[in-house]
Amino acid sequence: MTKRETDAPDGPAGGSAGPSTPTRAFGWTLHGDGRRIGEGEVVAPGERLTWPRTVGIGMQHVIAMFGATLLVPTITGFPVTTTLLFSGIGTALFLLITRGRIPSYLGSSFAFIAPLTASQSSGPAAQLGGVAAAGLLLLVVGIAVKLAGSRVIDAVMPPVVTGAVVALIGLNLAPTAVDSFESQPLIAGVTLLAILLVTVLGPGLLGRLGILVGVVVGWVFAAVIGGLAEERVTALREAAWFGVPELRGPTFEWSVIALTLPVVIVLIAENVGHVKAVSAMTGRSLDDVAGDALVADGLATTLAGFGGGSGTTTYAENIGVMAATRVYSTAAYWVAAATAVVLAFSPKFGALVFTVPNGVIGGATLVLYGLIGVLGVRIWMDAEVDFTDPVNLTVVAAALVAGIGDLTLTIGSVELGGIAWGSVGILVAYPVMRSLARFRKP
């Protein structure tokens, strides 16, 4: 998802019968007898069930985040185990910084796929510089929100702007998805069909794992018909079961940084949306920790950029697990974070992920990239953005075409693509055009 729909799904909104959520990362209170959840109750972030049950729910969170978190490095060529390592570390940091009040898993953000794909010619070090820069900017935004209050986000980035940026990031990727699909159309078609069937027909949690199931089905089909790259299969056989994740540092190139920074808008929308979703489902106001959530994700993304992993964001997939289980305990997320870190030390696991062929990626990204674009539309719909207003209509139209058409212009030695021009354009043009519209005669 993208990542990324963060509105609360259907689920209980009532609070737990237990005590209020403590403002600390550890020290959970046992919910009732630790075995059952009463009718209309939820297990609050500061509570937990018995440890065997908590570990089991934590494993479900690992399954929920797995497909999306690993798909990003698979598509972008980043080390899978390194990304997984910083995903686990980032989740732990998030739980600590938010003082255990917001249950969340920080997985790989789909929003980084576009700039990382577009900047591959600059090399991995420059790409990591872009990730680190985005993380630092998000960190600064988080601090500003803590000081000024969460309403500042709505003032700077109203829904018409946020929706446009999210939409153009997803739709800018469409040619990449199509190219991968066309490289192995049969494998891609089987993968796409599996994703659609599981998403539409799969019950409960299975339906939320459509991407992961589709990728597995596509991989098995490719293996049966000889669609796996032989050199990758050989690398899988030769990979060690245990090893240290590959770490590398960033370099900073302005062209790559400019291409990556618009992703911050998506990360802000996802983090704030996650906070609001958890607040709605647990019946507790969490607006006062929205800034902490942004700071935590900013720090996690910065660390990933300086260590070799992809940027992170709060995961809507795991909201689905919470809604299905009615368990919002942060103890389960500590289990998920620890599991991710342990798996990161298996090169065999990373090599297995890299055997996923282009056709499978094409089938999956055809859905994923479209979901990112549609999420932007959903932001407009939820906010009831008025597109009969000429300012909204014309500014969004120009930004979308710049992004979808990948408008690329060079200023001096810096080359900027469609995502950068579309995002910066609407961020600057919207407030300017809105101010000028006040002088329009009736």
Side-chain angles (χ1 to χ4, degrees), residues 117-208:
T117 301
S119 60
Q120 283 182 339
S121 61
S122 298
Q127 290 176 302
L128 289 174
V131 173
L136 287 170
L137 179 57
L138 184 61
L139 180 62
V140 171
V141 171
I143 294 173
V145 170
K146 282 177 63 66
L147 295 176
S150 59
R151 292 182 181 179
V152 70
I153 296 176
D154 294 330
V156 176
M157 292 188 304
V160 62
V161 172
T162 304
V165 174
V166 173
L168 71 86
I169 284 178
L171 298 178
N172 175 267
L173 290 164
T176 303
V178 171
D179 288 343
S180 296
F181 197 104
E182 291 175 345
S183 67
Q184 294 177 308
L186 180 59
I187 295 173
V190 170
T191 303
L192 177 60
L193 180 62
I195 292 172
L196 295 176
L197 289 176
V198 172
T199 301
V200 173
L201 301 176
L205 181 61
L206 179 63
R208 299 182 183 277

Side-chain angles (χ1 to χ4, degrees), residues 2-4 108-117 127 130-135 137-138 141 157 162 165-166 168-170 172-173 256-271 294 297 301 310-313 372 419-420 423-424 427:
T2 156
K3 180 95 202 32
R4 342 258 24 0
S108 303
S109 171
F110 290 137
F112 281 96
I113 295 177
L116 291 179
T117 301
Q127 290 176 302
V131 173
L137 179 57
L138 184 61
V141 171
M157 292 188 304
T162 304
V165 174
V166 173
L168 71 86
I169 284 178
N172 175 267
L173 290 164
V256 178
I257 292 173
L259 190 67
T260 310
L261 287 184
V263 167
V264 173
I265 297 173
V266 183
L267 299 183
I268 293 171
E270 289 174 346
N271 276 274
L294 294 171
D297 191 19
T301 296
S310 182
T312 61
T313 191
I372 300 174
I419 293 177
S423 300
V424 173
L427 281 169

Side-chain angles (χ1 to χ4, degrees), residues 86 89-90 93 131-132 135 248 296-310:
F86 283 101
I89 292 174
L93 285 173
V131 173
R248 60 173 66 146
D297 191 19
L299 180 59
T301 296
T302 302
L303 289 177
F306 275 97
S310 182

Side-chain angles (χ1 to χ4, degrees), residues 8-16 37-44 208 276-284 319-328:
D10 293 337
S16 165
I37 305 173
E39 184 68 27
E41 293 183 352
V42 298
V43 179
R208 299 182 183 277
K276 292 183 180 298
V278 174
S279 177
M281 290 188 291
T282 60
R284 289 168 167 79
I319 283 185
V321 175
M322 291 190 288
T325 61
R326 291 187 291 161
V327 177
Y328 302 89

Side-chain angles (χ1 to χ4, degrees), residues 341-388:
V341 171
V342 170
L343 287 174
F345 286 86
S346 176
K348 179 77 75 175
F349 174 74
L352 173 63
V353 173
F354 269 114
T355 61
V356 177
N358 287 339
V360 173
I361 293 175
T365 54
L366 203 70
V367 177
L368 286 172
Y369 297 165
L371 286 175
I372 300 174
V374 172
L375 176 57
V377 177
R378 180 174 176 177
I379 290 173
W380 291 332
M381 293 177 63
D382 290 345
E384 299 181 350
V385 174
D386 180 13
F387 280 110
T388 63

